[in-house]
Amino acid sequence: MERRPLIAGNWKMHLNVADSVSLAAAVAAGSRDLGDRDVMIAPAFTALAAVAEVLKGSSVFLAAQNVAWEREGAYTGEISPAMLMDVGASMAIIGHSERRHIFGEDNEMVNRRLLGALNSGLVPILCVGETLDEREEGETFKVLEQQVCEGLEGVPGDRLPSLVLAYEPVWAIGTGKTASREQAQEAHSFIRDVLADLYEKNLAGQVRILYGGSVKPENVDALMAEPDIDGALVGGAALKAESFDRIMHFS
Ligand code: PGA
């Protein structure tokens, strides 16, 4: 099963509008020669509209870092899928570990966000991953299974291939400590098995599963060589044009 690689930059709460626009312009220019893979960036909400302008005419996808589940209403501080699409976003990161662990989002809320995005036509990137304690207690697979099953509750099989998943071990995010390619591959293949059990093997084989957690120019090639790693969700190294460019050009 051929899956088109996706290299995604998660800018988190960094960069003002002007800096976002120049980084986005560099990504758009750098990705012009990449015909065999997808590239996505997720700026802060405040920069989405300006970045969308810069990306016009490029093939770089624009994503939000989170999304509400309702179309509109009394939800102070939230942004709806329709609003994101209105400014040019086509994807949304959902259930990032920082949302789960700093802001208390649980699987049920993550699932609502995911269904809201999917039903509005935004491509969700569902993030899952275990903490260091969970890994050390031997609970990695249990946690991943629960996050995948509860996160995808109510998603019909025919929608599955349009979703993206991201395996991001919490202990590897922003720590400089990357999962080894074997650890990452093991988790990715486990997640694909969970999808095959929930749906069917053929559908599970079409879903892109990204790895995230200290992806850098130095480790991207090895990670991408693993059979079930279909891309990268990059935080720190996505904030510098040069390092993200090298990651986009993984071989
Ligand atoms: P990092 O972040 O690359 O800085 O570890 C990845 C992420 O949180 O998506």
Side-chain angles (χ1 to χ4, degrees):
M1 172 62 59
E2 271 300 306
R3 292 178 296 267
R4 193 174 160 84
L6 169 63
I7 300 296
N10 171 14
W11 294 358
K12 309 194 180 186
M13 198 172 74
H14 292 289
L15 307 182
N16 61 21
V17 175
D19 292 341
S20 299
V21 163
S22 35
L23 183 54
V27 172
S31 65
R32 234 175 258 138
D33 58 338
L34 294 173
D36 62 346
R37 58 198 69 180
D38 291 334
V39 175
M40 182 213 94
I41 50 177
F45 287 123
T46 47
L48 282 172
V51 167
E53 281 302 311
V54 177
L55 295 184
K56 272 190 186 148
S58 83
S59 55
V60 178
F61 292 94
L62 181 64
Q65 297 174 17
N66 201 4
V67 58
W69 51 88
E70 295 287 352
R71 193 181 163 79
E72 60 180 18
Y75 299 96
T76 302
E78 291 284 326
I79 316 272
S80 77
M83 288 167 161
L84 294 172
M85 292 169 77
D86 183 44
V87 292
S90 58
M91 305 178 82
I93 298 171
I94 295 173
H96 188 277
S97 81
E98 286 144 22
R99 298 301 318 168
R100 294 176 186 266
H101 297 290
I102 305 174
F103 299 100
E105 295 195 12
D106 59 10
N107 286 328
E108 193 199 331
M109 187 183 290
V110 167
N111 175 247
R112 292 172 84 163
R113 294 190 188 279
L114 183 131
L115 292 174
L118 205 57
N119 293 335
S120 311
L122 277 178
V123 173
I125 302 181
L126 171 64
C127 303
V128 298
E130 80 288 358
T131 63
L132 187 57
D133 281 354
E134 288 162 345
R135 175 162 283 266
E136 285 172 349
E137 281 158 24
E139 301 207 313
T140 298
F141 290 161
K142 191 180 125 204
V143 170
L144 294 179
E145 182 168 13
Q146 197 172 5
Q147 288 176 336
V148 170
C149 293
E150 293 183 15
L152 294 181
E153 181 92 48
V155 174
D158 62 343
R159 305 302 306 278
L160 191 69
S162 58
L163 279 169
V164 178
L165 265 75
Y167 168 61
E168 299 204 299
V170 179
W171 48 272
I173 296 178
T175 57
K177 209 169 139 189
T178 321
S180 69
R181 55 192 288 179
E182 293 81 11
Q183 282 172 322
Q185 166 58 26
E186 181 186 41
H188 282 231
S189 131
F190 174 78
I191 291 169
R192 207 177 297 287
D193 287 346
V194 171
L195 294 175
D197 283 348
L198 273 179
Y199 297 93
E200 49 181 271
K201 203 161 183 244
N202 167 44
L203 290 172
Q206 296 176 48
V207 178
R208 291 184 288 187
I209 308 177
L210 316 182
Y211 168 77
S214 299
V215 174
K216 301 180 265 247
E218 300 77 45
N219 59 26
V220 66
D221 296 343
L223 288 162
M224 290 303 297
E226 293 295 333
D228 285 293
I229 301 183
D230 309 313
L233 183 53
V234 188
L239 291 170
K240 292 265 168 342
E242 202 176 86
S243 54
F244 193 64
D245 194 71
R246 171 61 185 87
I247 293 171
M248 290 193 297
H249 287 84
F250 74 85
S251 56

